[in-house]
Amino acid sequence: MSKILIRGAKVLGGEPQDVLIDGQTIAQVGVGLSADGAEVVEADGKVLLPGLVDLHTHLREPGREDSETVLTGTRAAASGGYTAVFAMANTFPVADTAGVVEQVYRLGQEHGYCDVQPIGAVTVGLEGTKLAELGAMHESAAGVTVFSDDGKCVDDAVIMRRALEYVKAFGGVVAQHAQEPRLTEGAQMNEGVVSAELGLGGWPAVAEESIIARDVLLAEHVGSRVHICHLSTAGSVEIVRWAKSRGIDVTAEVTPHHLLLTDELVRTYNPVYKVNPPLRTERDVMALREALADGTIDIVATDHAPHPHEDKDCEWAAAAMGMVGLETALSVVQQTMVETGLLDWAGVADRMSFKPARIGQAQGHGRPVSAGEPASLTLVDTAYRGAVDPAGFASRSRNTPYEGRELPGRVTHTWLRGKATLVDGKLA
């Protein structure tokens, strides 16, 4: 097996060190390391992180390969520094059986850019009326541990309770898309001053907060785990903070775009800013940043949602909801959390690798950068500054809200168990 010597990297943002990879594992971490015949990567003070883990990715395959495939999505993930992604279940067919989740899992293994862990649907067809084959998906080769109807809310309290009870048997978790459906009928954007001025249907904060409040109480009642997808309001933060103080086993994620963008951008009527949950207010953005910093929000997850050009280049009301995010997530986190002093790089590693791996039980990921650990690593040039050019994306889709915006940081190298998937910013 080949040896790779990463020279002078700031491991988790600390003092420069050398890291020697031998085969699939980290052999040594120290100063002044050498190894005969090793390929040398001069890190020059770049930051070395454990490979990033995304608990919330839409790969679209099977069924919408015009948007994304497992291959293009995992190439995008490798470009963004990810070594593992969890693929959401809202495909066609829906990932609600052992057969579909095994198909997605095996495609990830075949392509080799990134480990793909399928997320199983909570209910058959995402219809919210009958539990899917949760046990069969868990016992399949894909070993599903996370279940979600993302894109739709499990709004029936009895179904949600039964799902929480079921996954408890094998330590699984239900990831909830918190959206009370009746309160968001016809919603186009965040309900507030801007929606009133634009005359667009509002998506009120209480539609998210009421479901989160219900679900943390259900999780407490049955003694199970619940994870809140793309939390977006200051009120949701307060509910999760209260639930954790009470000892309820709840975790939560925030997307990069909810850490940076506000509903003021909707004034452009550019559908690239149309997303679910919607962009919120500046007050919400600040609350989300503080909650991610203090640990109330556990992780950053991309909600990478690729769409073909024709689904976004249309009038606002007809446009699909969602943004791509795998290739820009770390840059947004650097700008909003590191350069504001809210998190250091060890904190970024915690929120984007260690904790998401732990929540999703991603074996071999989210591990320390130390001898004997899997060599799944990400090298970041934090001094880089540049405008986002979606033409260079590895994703099949280009629906990014950051086109032309200058963002800091660039992933230069990604290794998956010692195999380079990104070298000098180019896919291997």
Side-chain angles (χ1 to χ4, degrees):
M1 299 293 285
S2 61
K3 293 183 179 180
I4 301 169
L5 180 60
I6 306 170
R7 186 174 285 157
K10 295 180 178 178
V11 179
L12 275 57
E15 292 299 314
Q17 290 183 288
D18 303 334
V19 175
L20 178 62
I21 297 172
D22 189 352
Q24 297 188 10
T25 60
I26 298 170
Q28 288 180 275
V29 178
V31 178
L33 300 183
S34 63
D36 291 341
E39 173 191 352
V40 177
V41 176
E42 297 291 354
D44 298 325
K46 295 173 185 171
V47 171
L48 188 67
L49 301 172
L52 306 183
V53 177
D54 188 20
L55 200 66
H56 191 149
T57 298
H58 296 274
L59 293 179
R60 305 301 193 203
E61 187 177 8
R64 285 305 306 266
E65 290 83 355
D66 56 330
S67 302
E68 195 79 285
T69 66
V70 173
L71 175 59
T72 60
T74 53
R75 284 167 65 87
S79 296
Y82 289 90
T83 54
V85 298
F86 284 71
M88 276 295 175
N90 56 343
T91 51
F92 302 95
V94 171
D96 58 5
T97 65
V100 178
V101 297
E102 285 187 349
Q103 177 189 1
V104 174
Y105 172 76
R106 285 175 175 147
L107 283 170
Q109 295 289 305
E110 289 171 13
H111 298 315
Y113 281 95
C114 181
D115 285 347
V116 176
Q117 180 57 58
I119 291 175
V122 176
T123 64
V124 175
L126 308 179
E127 293 300 324
T129 57
K130 180 182 178 183
L131 282 183
E133 300 173 2
L134 309 186
M137 288 189 278
H138 174 67
E139 292 169 4
S140 73
V144 176
T145 58
V146 183
F147 298 87
S148 180
D149 277 1
D150 184 58
K152 293 184 177 180
C153 179
V154 182
D155 62 304
D156 185 310
V158 174
I159 292 288
M160 187 62 181
R161 172 182 176 169
R162 298 295 178 232
L164 289 167
E165 290 174 330
Y166 201 106
V167 303
K168 180 182 175 183
F170 49 78
V173 62
V174 178
Q176 175 68 290
H177 174 118
Q179 178 184 357
E180 209 295 318
R182 292 295 306 281
L183 289 173
T184 54
E185 289 178 357
Q188 293 289 318
M189 65 170 297
N190 178 52
E191 181 179 285
V193 173
V194 180
S195 67
E197 291 180 5
L198 298 180
L200 292 174
W203 199 125
V206 69
E208 176 175 301
E209 295 156 5
S210 59
I211 292 294
I212 295 175
R214 184 202 72 178
D215 286 352
V216 295
L217 291 173
L218 284 174
E220 179 182 47
H221 183 66
V222 303
S224 188
R225 289 201 297 148
V226 65
H227 176 77
I228 308 302
C229 296
H230 39 50
L231 185 150
S232 70
T233 78
S236 296
V237 167
E238 290 307 312
I239 294 167
V240 170
R241 185 172 286 134
W242 169 83
K244 288 189 171 185
S245 72
R246 191 177 165 98
I248 297 172
D249 201 350
V250 55
T251 53
E253 67 188 36
V254 64
T255 71
H257 47 270
H258 285 109
L259 291 172
L260 179 60
L261 309 177
T262 73
D263 62 353
E264 288 291 333
L265 290 162
V266 181
R267 294 184 186 278
T268 65
Y269 287 103
N270 186 342
V272 77
Y273 300 116
K274 187 175 179 180
V275 67
N276 187 2
L279 301 178
R280 303 291 189 182
T281 67
E282 183 73 14
R283 172 177 171 268
D284 293 306
V285 167
M286 292 301 111
L288 296 175
R289 291 184 187 183
E290 291 174 8
L292 182 64
D294 70 21
T296 301
I297 295 176
D298 301 83
I299 65 170
V300 176
T302 68
D303 193 8
H304 175 81
H307 292 292
H309 181 71
E310 60 270 23
D311 286 0
K312 295 294 276 187
D313 187 23
C314 55
E315 63 181 271
W316 178 277
M321 294 181 176
M323 308 167 170
V324 292
L326 285 169
E327 293 171 83
T328 51
L330 191 56
S331 292
V332 174
V333 170
Q334 180 177 336
Q335 182 178 86
T336 59
M337 301 300 296
V338 179
E339 297 189 351
T340 57
L342 290 169
L343 276 184
D344 57 16
W345 284 104
V348 173
D350 182 67
R351 302 327 190 256
M352 297 186 73
S353 182
F354 298 146
K355 281 184 179 172
R358 194 179 311 149
I359 293 168
Q361 301 178 52
Q363 302 300 319
H365 293 278
R367 301 296 306 164
V369 182
S370 57
E373 296 288 352
S376 293
L377 301 165
T378 296
L379 189 63
V380 188
D381 178 2
T382 59
Y384 175 85
R385 295 289 188 280
V388 175
D389 179 8
F393 282 179
S395 173
R396 177 160 287 181
S397 295
R398 301 287 183 269
N399 51 305
T400 174
Y402 309 118
E403 182 174 5
R405 180 188 287 253
E406 182 173 293
L407 291 177
R410 182 175 73 108
V411 176
T412 63
H413 294 72
T414 307
W415 292 275
L416 175 61
R417 288 183 292 276
K419 175 192 172 188
T421 56
L422 188 79
V423 178
D424 291 328
K426 298 179 181 177
L427 288 162

